[in-house]
Amino acid sequence: MMLGAAMRSVGAQQPTPFAVQRALPQVRAAPRIIRSVPAPRGAASLVTATAAAALAARRLQKATGQATRRCAANLGGKFDVSSYYAAKPDAATKDWVMQQTMFRVKDPKRSLDFYTKVLGMSLITVGDFPQWGFTVYFVGYPPEKDLGPVPEDDAEKFAYCMRVPGCIELTWNHGSEVEDADRVYNTGNSDSTGSSDGEAVKGGFGHIGITVPDVYEACQRFKDMGAEFTKSPNSGGMKGLAFVKDPDGYLIEVLPLGKGFPFPTKEVDCNGVALEAGGGYVDKSKSS
């Protein structure tokens, strides 16, 4: 009974007739796959036999391409979120904070210069772990009116930081700063860095974002300080927002503080792009 249950649980999702027909050559080879599972020696227990059968079934699934997959129905570009708006947060999570996003960085100096000097964040705390070969730097915009100033005492800084929403944890793996490439980590935006074949990897991660009182003024500051733009406020299809890159190539979206869409605009942006110019929307998961 246990053996049958194990096999049913592994093969619970039945293949379609077409899939079975396509898999027939591999299925005929199944005895070889099952024979490759080591047989238990001596008085084999039913539990051991069940585990062996489950392993054989997984190998068969792999050989026939019938590994279990979850496929959602096509939503046609629409998804009703009304139930999520209406749902009340679980009371058990009322004191939880979305506290950090971690980026691996090549060179801590150039990253800290960018985040503190260009973006105006504060270095809140540092964690040094020489025994494991890395150091972490937490930067962000601490809400001092709510939490008070960042403590002077190093022992208190980490606890304070854990109460600050939206920090960036810059992780420096010791030695990366001497690698030849200017950028050594994949950013998730159709980036070829780190791929084995040099081809761009399909984007998953996109960007972080900051809000500022005036996007156009902030972008002029970024330009004056040498920041790299992938989108100035008037370029692309969505006007009034921008994207800049940090030294490792991670994207930072720049949005207007407290404004709804369509965003406030100006006739010419920091790169000289006119409001009516600038091209159309570009999917950054498909291009860097």
Side-chain angles (χ1 to χ4, degrees), residues 105-112 172 176-177 247-248:
V105 300
K106 177 184 178 179
D107 183 336
K109 182 183 186 307
R110 72 177 188 178
S111 293
L112 287 171
W172 168 44
S176 61
E177 71 279 7
D248 291 274

Side-chain angles (χ1 to χ4, degrees), residues 1 118 150 213 227 234 240 273 284 287:
M1 183 171 65
V118 180
V150 178
N234 285 347
V273 179
K284 290 299 180 182
S287 66

Side-chain angles (χ1 to χ4, degrees), residues 8 13 27 42 46 55 65-66 93 101 116 125 159-160 170 173 176 186 209 216 239 245 268 277 284 287:
R8 286 195 298 273
Q13 194 173 57
V27 171
L46 186 58
L55 176 59
Q66 293 302 309
T93 68
T101 296
T116 62
T125 191
Y160 176 95
L170 303 172
N173 292 304
S176 61
N186 195 285
Y216 289 78
K239 309 299 182 181
K245 284 186 177 181
V268 179
K284 290 299 180 182
S287 66

Side-chain angles (χ1 to χ4, degrees), residues 30 36 55 63 114 166 184 188-189 243 248 264:
S36 69
L55 176 59
F114 175 83
V184 298
N189 283 286
F243 282 90
D248 291 274

